[in-house]
Amino acid sequence: MSSIDRILEQTLAGNRLSVEDCVALYESDQIEKMGHAANQMMLRYHPDPITTFVIGRNVNYTNICDVYCRFCAFYRAPGSKEGYVLPDETIFQKIQETIDVKGTEILMQGGTNPDLPFTYYTNILREIKARFPEITMHSFSPAEIMKMKEVSEGLTLEEVVRALHEAGLDSLPGGGAEILDDRTRRKISRKKGSWTEWMDVMKTAHRIGMNTTATMVIGFGETYEERAMHMLRVREAQDECIRAGHPSEGFLAFISWTFQPDNTNLKAEKLGAEDYLKNVAISRLMLDNIKNFQSSWVTMGPEVGKQSLHYGCNDFGSTMIEENVVSAAGTTHKVNIGSTLDLIRQAGKIPAQRNTRYEILRMFDDENVKVENDFVMQN
C-alpha cells in the first residue's frame, strides 16, 4: 500500500489529516484517488444525490479601495476618476430585480473605501431591510469590516460587528482570505491585513451568532505547507466555535478557486483544472468539520465545476446575476439557470435551490419542470 493510500484510508477511518499528510497529498499526482476519498467524505454529510445552488446577486457598491492588492483588477485608488459609490436607489433596484427572479441572497461587497463613514453601512443595511425584509444580506468581507472599524472612531471589532448585525447583516462571506499566511499576504498586497485579523473577524461573527463562509485562493506562489496551514487554521477555528457552543454554526461552507492573473499586476502561471480539483479534494478531506463545499465554476468554467461535484463538492454556489471583481480579471463564464440544472443533472445529481443557510427551498427533481424567469448567471 502506498503512503497516499494509507493517508486516505486513515482519513476515511476517522483520523484527521496532519499538515504533513496534507503536504504529501499535494505532492502526489494521484488526483482521482483523492477525489474518490473526498467524495466518500462528502457523502457522510450529504448521502442523497442532491446538488444545491442559491439564486443571488453580487452588488459591488464601491470600487474605491486603499489596500492595493496586486492581484485585483477591479479596484480604483481613492481620488481616481474611475472610482464610484453606487447610489442607494441603484442598490435597491438591483435587490428588487433579484427578488423578481426568486433570488434570496445579496452578496454586497466592494473595496475598502476610506471615504465612507461607518454610518453609511448601518444606514444602508437598515434601508435595505425596511424595503426587503425577506432578503438575506450575506455581505462584507473581513477586510471591509476592519476598514469599518478603522473609520468608526473608537468602536471595538465586536461593537462594529454587532452594530452591523443589528442593522440587518445576516452572515459574512469569506472573501479576502486568499492564503492565511502572512508571507504570501505581504507579497500580494503591501497593506493586506494579517491572517489573524481575517480570522478575528470571523470568530467575532461566530461569537455573536452569525454564520460565515471560508475561502481559499491558490496560485500566488505559496508553498504546499502554507496551503496546509490555511486549512488547519480554518479547521481549528471551526473546532473552537463548536466547542464553545456559540449560537452560530460557524463556517457553513468552504470555497476555493485559483488565482486569475489576467489584467492584474501580479504575474503568475495560471493553474489548471487538475490543480483546482486536487485542492477541492484535499480541502474536503482536511476540513472534516465543515458540511458544505462550493464548486467554483466562476473561475474554472462550468465543465470543471461539474467535475468538482465528484471531488467533494455538494453545492454549485451562487448564480451571481451580477459580479464585477473576477470578471475584471478576464474570467467571464456565463451560464443561465437552465444550463445550471443541466450541468448538475449531467453530473448525476438532482438540482435544488437553497437559501444562505443551506436549507432547500425548491427541488428540481422533475427534468421536465418549467424554468421560470430564466436569467443570465455570470461570474
Side-chain angles (χ1 to χ4, degrees):
M1 181 184 292
S2 72
S3 61
I4 297 304
D5 289 332
R6 277 195 296 274
I7 290 171
L8 297 177
E9 185 179 276
Q10 290 171 3
T11 303
L12 291 176
N15 297 315
R16 284 187 145 177
L17 284 178
S18 65
V19 169
E20 293 74 23
D21 293 334
C22 195
V23 169
L25 292 179
Y26 275 118
E27 291 173 340
S28 170
D29 61 0
Q30 299 185 58
I31 300 174
E32 289 188 4
K33 283 186 178 179
M34 297 179 214
H36 178 73
N39 195 55
Q40 295 299 112
M41 188 74 81
M42 181 274 292
L43 290 172
R44 294 178 182 181
Y45 278 118
H46 308 281
D48 296 324
I50 295 170
T51 293
T52 51
F53 64 92
V54 66
I55 298 177
R57 182 168 194 162
N58 273 33
V59 177
N60 301 120
Y61 64 96
T62 182
N63 67 343
I64 299 169
C65 188
D66 63 358
V67 175
Y68 313 114
C69 293
R70 294 172 63 201
F71 63 88
C72 181
F74 170 71
Y75 83 87
R76 296 295 181 269
S80 168
K81 293 180 180 178
E82 296 179 340
Y84 72 81
V85 177
L86 290 181
D88 290 358
E89 288 303 323
T90 301
I91 294 173
F92 302 150
Q93 180 183 349
K94 289 175 180 290
I95 295 173
Q96 184 60 61
E97 290 168 358
T98 306
I99 291 172
D100 290 344
V101 294
K102 297 183 171 61
T104 61
E105 177 182 283
I106 295 296
L107 184 61
M108 197 163 112
Q109 55 184 5
T112 55
N113 189 332
D115 301 322
L116 292 177
F118 182 52
T119 52
Y120 166 83
Y121 303 96
T122 52
N123 288 343
I124 191 68
L125 285 168
R126 287 193 188 95
E127 292 292 332
I128 289 169
K129 286 294 185 172
R131 289 166 171 78
F132 314 103
E134 71 275 34
I135 202 72
T136 297
M137 295 302 293
H138 176 62
S139 303
F140 306 130
S141 67
E144 289 166 273
I145 301 293
M146 292 304 292
K147 176 57 66 174
M148 294 178 205
K149 177 179 180 292
E150 182 183 315
V151 302
S152 70
E153 301 179 349
L155 294 181
T156 66
L157 177 58
E158 182 163 332
E159 287 170 339
V160 166
V161 178
R162 282 190 184 279
L164 292 167
H165 188 39
E166 289 167 3
L169 183 61
D170 297 296
S171 65
L172 288 183
E178 274 77 71
I179 292 293
L180 295 177
D181 172 83
D182 288 342
R183 184 192 73 86
T184 298
R185 296 175 79 78
R186 283 192 297 269
K187 183 174 77 169
I188 63 182
S189 172
R190 60 190 175 89
K191 292 190 174 183
K192 196 78 179 178
S194 67
W195 76 264
T196 52
E197 286 182 353
W198 184 94
M199 193 63 78
D200 285 345
V201 173
M202 293 310 199
K203 288 182 177 180
T204 302
H206 296 167
R207 193 162 56 246
I208 68 170
M210 294 174 65
N211 295 320
T212 68
T213 58
T215 62
M216 179 182 191
V217 185
I218 62 171
F220 294 117
E222 71 282 348
T223 66
Y224 290 155
E225 184 175 16
E226 287 167 349
R227 291 184 189 178
M229 288 303 299
H230 177 109
M231 295 180 191
L232 180 65
R233 286 161 175 161
V234 171
R235 188 173 76 185
E236 288 178 341
Q238 186 77 337
D239 281 345
E240 182 180 318
C241 179
I242 294 169
R243 280 197 307 269
H246 293 322
S248 162
E249 295 178 68
F251 296 115
L252 284 185
F254 186 80
I255 312 102
S256 65
W257 60 93
T258 61
F259 167 50
Q260 305 297 302
D262 297 343
N263 302 331
T264 73
N265 293 320
L266 181 61
K267 299 308 173 190
E269 183 179 351
K270 193 170 183 176
L271 298 182
E274 288 193 353
D275 296 289
Y276 167 70
L277 292 171
K278 179 192 285 189
N279 199 66
V280 166
I282 294 172
S283 60
R284 171 60 92 170
L285 294 168
M286 185 76 170
L287 298 171
D288 56 0
N289 53 5
I290 296 180
K291 295 178 182 178
N292 301 293
F293 279 66
Q294 283 187 23
S295 167
S296 189
W297 62 265
V298 179
T299 50
M300 304 310 301
E303 287 300 319
V304 178
K306 184 173 69 175
Q307 275 186 280
S308 70
L309 299 182
H310 297 286
Y311 278 74
C313 290
N314 61 289
D315 185 83
F316 218 56
S318 172
T319 56
M320 286 194 292
I321 302 168
E322 173 183 3
E323 200 282 330
N324 300 304
V325 178
V326 176
S327 55
T331 304
T332 53
H333 300 296
K334 296 184 179 181
V335 185
N336 63 37
I337 190 170
S339 298
T340 298
L341 300 179
D342 288 344
L343 287 165
I344 292 171
R345 287 170 179 145
Q346 288 166 23
K349 308 288 186 176
I350 299 169
Q353 182 186 348
R354 64 164 173 87
N355 61 16
T356 308
R357 293 181 60 84
Y358 287 80
E359 298 163 338
I360 291 178
L361 304 176
R362 182 186 183 191
M363 295 283 292
F364 292 86
D365 47 358
D366 181 355
E367 292 198 19
N368 298 314
V369 68
K370 182 177 183 294
V371 178
E372 299 174 355
N373 299 317
D374 201 32
F375 57 90
V376 171
M377 298 190 294
Q378 75 173 45
N379 59 309

